[in-house]
Amino acid sequence: MTTEPFGARLRRAMDDRGPLCVGIDPHASLLADWGLSDDIAGLERFTHTVVEALADRVAVLKPQSAFFERFGSRGVAVLERAVADARAAGALVLMDAKRGDIGSTMAAYAATYLDPASPLFSDAVTVSPYLGYGSLRPALDLARESGAGVFVLALTSNPEGAEVQHAVRADGRSVAATMLDHLRAENAGATPMGSYGAVVGATLGDSLTAAGAELAINGPLLAPGIGAQGATAADLPKVFGAAVRDVVPNVSRGVLRHGPDMAALRESADRFAGEIRDAVAG
């Protein structure tokens, strides 16, 4: 059982290694770019290379579960090993599963990723709140019990997200702002940082203002969009303002395109981490 809260472990990892999160996204086109076959052998080679190259230097590795699930049980077995190997090397593992349901089904999802007895136990998991924030309670409670974390989709970088996330409730608050309010309440009083984070796209810019979003939630902000999606490290202070120190920028293709050369992967990750550290420090 992990007893130290995820927020404290994440804060230490970000301070020691820099705040970079690198995705592990073995989609078919990237496997092809690496000269690998789109099968279990290619998946294993890709995943092992990324973990071996980066798990001892980046704060967070974020496997995208779908790219493993598409290979069935053998793909999930590769994912299980990646989680274990990455954590053993010192990286925190954020499982990008975006699960969301109600009742016993949500409890089962929570047990899959947040129960230390599970072979897929991760330091944190992404979840979708669009069956209502209260539907996430099994994951929120199990995360607190096990010292894990939860990242809730709040303001995502895909353009379709705005139709739900920017929608205004009867009380005048946007859906996204409501989710951030809930997370702020979950993190109240936590030091040095809460364990309940939000996903907020680094590419959103002025649309954050349009959503009426207050990003300071005393918890981490996972920020996809650095690199291939167009955002840069220099954009982070402008987008996140006073909350920038709690941002965990995610880079996937920007780093992974340098594989399968492990030295090139490491060099790319180190470069992004340095740029992000400098931007956050001002």
Side-chain angles (χ1 to χ4, degrees):
M1 177 73 72
T2 299
T3 55
E4 186 179 22
F6 171 72
R9 294 187 289 121
L10 178 60
R11 178 80 275 161
R12 183 168 61 249
M14 293 167 68
D15 291 345
D16 291 348
R17 296 184 171 199
L20 180 65
C21 169
V22 177
I24 306 179
D25 298 351
H27 50 77
S29 62
L30 189 52
L31 293 177
D33 289 344
W34 280 36
L36 299 173
S37 52
D38 187 23
D39 56 19
I40 286 293
L43 179 72
E44 286 182 316
R45 175 70 183 278
F46 176 93
T47 305
H48 177 73
T49 300
V50 175
V51 171
E52 185 175 353
L54 302 180
D56 65 346
R57 64 189 57 222
V58 302
V60 182
L61 285 175
K62 183 177 70 64
Q64 170 48 258
S65 181
F67 291 122
F68 296 86
E69 294 172 31
R70 70 191 183 99
F71 292 102
S73 61
R74 295 173 68 194
V76 173
V78 174
L79 180 58
E80 290 176 4
R81 179 183 172 188
V83 170
D85 289 349
R87 298 187 77 230
L92 298 177
V93 173
L94 167 57
M95 184 64 70
D96 196 354
K98 298 183 178 73
R99 300 300 193 238
D101 214 306
I102 60 171
S104 59
T105 307
M106 191 65 223
Y109 282 139
T112 301
Y113 304 108
L114 301 174
D115 184 341
S118 169
L120 282 171
F121 174 65
S122 303
D123 296 284
V125 65
T126 57
V127 295
S128 173
Y130 296 113
L131 287 171
Y133 184 85
S135 68
L136 302 178
R137 184 50 56 190
L140 300 168
D141 289 348
L142 186 53
R144 192 182 303 278
E145 178 184 334
S146 62
V150 171
F151 284 84
V152 176
L153 302 180
L155 283 159
T156 57
S157 56
N158 63 304
E160 303 88 351
E163 69 179 272
V164 173
Q165 296 157 17
H166 290 205
V168 177
R169 293 159 32 101
D171 63 2
R173 301 284 286 159
S174 71
V175 171
T178 301
M179 297 305 154
L180 292 166
D181 288 345
H182 283 304
L183 291 168
R184 191 175 299 108
E186 298 285 350
N187 290 322
T191 56
M193 179 168 65
S195 298
Y196 301 98
V199 180
V200 178
T203 57
L204 294 178
D206 293 341
S207 66
L208 296 179
T209 302
E214 170 53 57
L215 299 180
I217 60 170
N218 191 34
L221 301 169
L222 179 68
I226 302 290
Q229 293 184 46
T232 69
D235 294 325
L236 295 174
K238 293 181 290 184
V239 174
F240 292 95
V244 71
R245 188 171 177 268
D246 296 333
V247 172
V248 185
N250 174 235
V251 180
S252 295
R253 284 172 288 175
V255 172
L256 300 178
R257 66 185 180 87
H258 294 282
D261 186 308
M262 285 205 291
L265 287 167
R266 289 170 178 150
E267 181 180 355
S268 178
D270 289 347
R271 177 175 57 81
F272 273 111
E275 291 174 357
I276 291 165
R277 193 192 295 269
D278 290 346
V280 169

